[in-house]
Amino acid sequence: MIIKSNPFTSWPPSHEDLYWVVGILDGEGTFYREKARGTPRIECTMQDKDTIVRLATVLGCGCGESSLSVIGTRMYRAVATTTRAKVIMETIRPLMSIRRQEQIDHALELTV
């Protein structure tokens, strides 16, 4: 179920929003390349609906309810794919931890 879709949000956001996004995605985000299509993808899943809705708004992507967690708590997920994910990854990469930079490099097929 889609809660919100924001495909036309401009990027990059304000400095405050950019650093907020970096903090959220460095701690809770996942960066990878989809196997089936080979496109870059960013996902963030957590229990905090308001955080996921804000993240989706800033990233300009969709969000919705995810599956229940192991303990039965409702989870929410924001997902950015294709060109939008690539542009976001390229922008935030220098601000991320080494581990996340490596994930981004792999998702973008860059040499590390």
Side-chain angles (χ1 to χ4, degrees):
M1 168 177 136
I2 297 281
I3 295 172
K4 189 168 187 163
S5 181
N6 304 291
F8 303 112
T9 302
S10 63
W11 186 262
S14 69
H15 283 103
E16 293 81 12
D17 283 343
L18 178 64
Y19 291 118
W20 180 83
V21 164
V22 166
I24 294 295
L25 292 179
D26 200 59
E28 301 293 331
T30 303
F31 305 88
Y32 64 97
R33 181 168 287 280
E34 293 178 327
K35 289 182 182 179
R37 291 181 249 167
T39 57
R41 185 175 177 102
I42 301 170
E43 285 189 25
C44 184
T45 304
M46 62 175 56
Q47 295 177 16
D48 301 318
K49 180 180 178 181
D50 60 327
T51 301
I52 289 297
V53 169
R54 180 177 175 198
L55 181 64
T57 300
V58 175
L59 295 181
C61 67
C63 66
E65 290 184 12
S66 186
S67 58
L68 294 177
S69 71
V70 186
I71 59 171
T73 306
R74 176 68 54 203
M75 301 296 286
Y76 301 92
R77 177 173 52 198
V79 178
T81 60
T82 62
T83 304
R84 168 77 51 178
K86 179 181 184 288
V87 168
I88 293 167
M89 286 183 209
E90 290 172 344
T91 304
I92 67 174
R93 185 191 177 283
L95 304 170
M96 303 297 277
S97 66
I98 298 298
R99 182 171 66 102
R100 296 297 188 200
Q101 287 180 10
E102 290 170 353
Q103 285 180 347
I104 290 170
D105 290 345
H106 182 70
L108 298 175
E109 294 183 341
L110 296 175
T111 308
V112 263

